[in-house]
Each structure stands twice: as C-alpha cells, then as structure tokens.
Amino acid sequence: MNRGQRRTMPSFCGTLSLACLAFATFARAQVLTAAQLSAVKSNLMQGAKQSWELGTETEALTEFDSPHYSVVKGAVPPPPGPGPASLDEVFAIAKNIVSNLTISPSDPNAPQPLDLPPGMAAGDSASLGFAVLLADWTGRGKVDGLDYGAAATAQVDWTLTDVPRTPDGAISHRIEQVQLWADSVYMVPPTLAYYGAMNNNRSLLEEAHNQIRLYRQYLRDPSAGGLWKHILLGEASQDDEGHWSTGNAWAAAGMIRVMATIQHSKFSREMTSEVQDLISWVSEIHDGVYPHLNSDGLFNNYADNSSTFHDAAGTAMLASTVYRLSLLAGVHTHIPLAEFSRKSISAPLNSAVSSHASPTSTGAAAPVQSLLHFDNEMWLTPVPNPDNWSVLGEHSPESQAFVIEMYAAWRDWVAAGSPGAHGI
Ligand SMILES: *[C@@H]1O[C@H](CO)[C@@H](O)[C@H](O)[C@H]1NC(C)=O
Ligand SMILES: *[C@@H]1O[C@H](CO)[C@@H](O)[C@H](O)[C@H]1NC(C)=O
Ligand SMILES: *[C@@H]1O[C@H](CO)[C@@H](O)[C@H](O)[C@H]1NC(C)=O
Ligand SMILES: *[C@@H]1O[C@H](CO)[C@@H](O)[C@H](O)[C@H]1NC(C)=O
C-alpha cells in the first residue's frame, strides 16, 4: 500500500460539488464484463461453505439472475408456480441444507436452526431462511420430498424462542452468550420479515423492524458520526467496538432487505412509519461512512481508521445499498460516491486512480491479472479475512457476493434511468 492510496476524498466532496465529480472521474468509467461477472459468481458458488456465506450467496444470486424473486425487486410473495431455472443453484442450496436436518420423530415441529455447526453463530443459520422459504413457495417440496415450510418455521421459532436476548429483547447473534454483532442485522431481521410476508403475519414484519431498532440503539455510535460499532457485549476476547466497514454494510443491507420486503408485501400501506425509520437508519449509516471514502474509491477496513487496510468488500456492499436506497426510497444523496466506488472496484490494473497493484496481487500469478481489484481468477481484493475480520484475507466468498449484489443493484438502477446520477 502506498501513501497516495491513503489520502481521503477532498473535503469539498462532502457537498458533492462539480469539482468533486471532476475528481471522481479520475476513475475511468469501467464496467465488469459478463464473463468477468460470471467468474466472480462461480468463485462465490464454489467458495461459499459456511451458513452465512450460503445464505448471502442465495440472496446475491437471486438478485442477479432472478430479480423478480428477490425481495429488493420483486413482489413478496413472488409469482406462484415453479420458479425459473435461474433459481436452480438457490434451490440446490436449500435442498442440501434441509435434507441434512434431523427431524425428531417424537416432536417433528420442534424449533431448530437450519444449520448450526459447533462454534457457529446463532444468527448465521437464519440467513438460510430466504432460500428455504422460496423453495417452499415454488413447490420444490414435492419435487424433493422435503418439508421446506416446516424447516423454515422451525428456524424462525428457534430464533424467537431459543436464542438468548438482551433485557430489552435484542436477539443475540451468538447462542452461548448474549452478544450483538452488526452482521446479525443482515442475517436475522430479513428472514423474520420474509417469513412474515410469506405467511401473512404482520407481527413478524414488525419484529424485524423492532430488532433493527434495538440493534441500532446498542451499536450506533453518535460520537463517530453515526457509524456502527461491530460487536458489543459478551466475551471480551470477541468484543470489537471499531467501526468495521463490512459491519456497517451488513447492517445497511439488512435494513434494505427488510424495507423492501415490507414495501413489496401487502402490508406496505399499513407500515409506512416502519419504512420511514428504515430509510432514515440506512441514510444515517451512509451519512456516517461516505465522508471517510478514500481517494482510491475504497473504504478502510475500519471506516474511520486510516491505518487499517483498504477494503473492497465492504465498499462494494455499501455501494449496493446506495443504489437500492435510490430505487426504493428516492434518496440519491450518495449515488455519485457509490458510482465512484463501483468504477474504482472495476478499474483496470493501470488505472489512473492508482498505479500500484494492491498488496495481495504481487504473487506469482500476477502477469495475467488485468484488473486492479481482482486477481487473475476474479477474486476481489483487498478484502478482510472472512474468519478474522481485522486482518487482510484472500478468496473471501462473501466478498464475491457483495460484488454480485452491487452489480445487480447498479443494473436495476441504470434500468430505472440512473436517478440522481448527478447527486440531485
Ligand atoms: C450435508 O451433509 C453432507 C453429508 O454428510 C455433507 O457432505 C454436506 O457438507 C452437508 N451440507 C451442509 C450444508 O452442511
Ligand atoms: C405470527 O407469528 C408469531 C411468531 O411465530 C406467532 O406467535 C403468531 O401467532 C403469528 N400470528 C399469526 C396471525 O399467524
Ligand atoms: C487503528 O488500527 C490500528 C491497526 O489495526 C490499531 O492498532 C489502532 O488501535 C486503531 N486505532 C483505533 C483508534 O482504533
Ligand atoms: C486474527 O488475526 C490476529 C492478527 O493477526 C490474530 O492475533 C488473531 O489470533 C487472529 N484470530 C483468529 C481467531 O484467528
């Protein structure tokens, strides 16, 4: 990493002036090709193994390949009848997960998580709920001989009844202790909301909003401009009060999913105040984080700590939430900076943004690398290690999903006429 990459955006960028936009055009307009995006996707499909990676994969693939079945674009519930072949990978994940469940013959409806290997987080298994509910809705249960609906119900019941909570009711991300992680906002509330919308149960949509409200009360840091802390409470060894960029992205993206689920469900007219809250809470994260964007279009791994490495993963996920907020709520404030990030992430190796390859790209495989922020196999870089967020990683499946979500959101935003492209 070189000193030049650590400069932050000029202060006038806060006002999105023309001068700032001229600055941003240093990043030459760049778009990943269909072949490059398909390599990103295939890394995601091969790399995702852990429950939250699989859950995130199913959502990213749906948004990219089958948008009318996604909560961010389609009706909730989606059209009746079997889903399109573009959902096959999503269904394959649901089938693998549900066929591995052990159903107790004496208590077939007992609450239980979809997947909870030892050491894993309680919140993560909930992220699989989307694919399982979609498999149920589209009739995969008959084809596969599995009761997807019961498996989803068991997961939601388990989340609501068996996972410990704070005294005021925030559902812990961990099962063995009460601990709140920003990540959980992407894993749990969207599944409560989707289950509620698919089962005509408004109180679960309200509970999704309520969980986000509670998490925000704990994790939002007013002394850091509204950025969210990463992990609070519980074992000190895991506590992380830093403002992790990907954590802020998980929180904003979870809010977007819940907001869109409400808006695209039959409860949209009755739940406008919940939607307004979510719009303002996502905006708050954007307002807190975007002033920290670096001149290379990336955030630091901890958004407000310039001695941490640059992180393309959280950057991509945050950009996806900016396009979605523009589409779902007509808030375009941060569009120019999301565009700047997207172009930077898609830039060629010899881009004007920076003439230096990222730290992980200097290995033996470098010669055929043609993009600044992807290695020669189209893995995004630089990214945090998905199992140890404070250190630089490589080959992170969730990061591949964030690129897919960013491109799905950008494509939908372009199709809608690129609203707010000039910050209006
Ligand atoms: C399901 O079980 C099979 C066989 O035990 C195993 O190979 C596979 O990894 C399991 N899948 C998941 C998602 O746990
Ligand atoms: C909604 O879901 C909650 C939690 O599972 C349940 O207690 C409640 O009875 C459900 N309400 C309706 C109307 O189905
Ligand atoms: C910033 O990050 C560095 C490197 O990880 C760390 O040593 C330092 O404590 C962090 N500073 C703050 C204020 O968190
Ligand atoms: C994460 O990385 C830090 C810094 O290298 C190291 O001290 C720590 O032990 C690692 N944690 C895990 C769980 O691997």
Side-chain angles (χ1 to χ4, degrees), residues 92-107:
I93 291 169
K95 182 178 177 182
N96 187 23
I97 292 292
V98 173
S99 52
N100 276 9
L101 287 175
T102 309
I103 310 289
S104 154
S106 61
D107 190 3

Side-chain angles (χ1 to χ4, degrees), residues 7 17 19 23 53-54 59 84 112 115 125 159 181 183-184 194 199 238 253 290 293 310 326 373 385 409:
R7 262 183 285 122
S17 63
F23 176 85
E53 294 172 337
L54 291 165
E59 288 156 353
Q112 71 164 324
D115 186 31
S125 68
T159 297
W181 296 40
D183 317 36
S184 211
Y194 196 56
N199 289 286
Q238 271 201 324
Y290 274 98
L293 194 67
H310 287 204
S326 167
H373 288 302
N385 179 333

Side-chain angles (χ1 to χ4, degrees), residues 299-375:
F299 291 106
N300 290 95
N301 188 41
Y302 286 80
D304 56 352
N305 185 339
S306 62
S307 53
T308 60
F309 59 86
H310 287 204
D311 161 36
T315 301
M317 183 70 137
L318 281 162
S320 80
T321 67
V322 171
Y323 297 121
R324 291 295 173 199
L325 191 68
S326 167
L327 289 167
L328 294 165
V331 176
H332 314 308
T333 318
H334 299 287
I335 282 286
L337 293 178
E339 278 286 87
F340 177 43
S341 288
R342 183 189 56 76
K343 290 172 187 172
S344 302
I345 286 171
S346 314
L349 188 53
N350 58 357
S351 147
V353 176
S354 164
S355 56
H356 293 258
S358 52
T360 53
S361 66
T362 50
V368 289
Q369 183 189 354
S370 61
L371 295 169
L372 180 60
H373 288 302
F374 291 87
D375 70 10

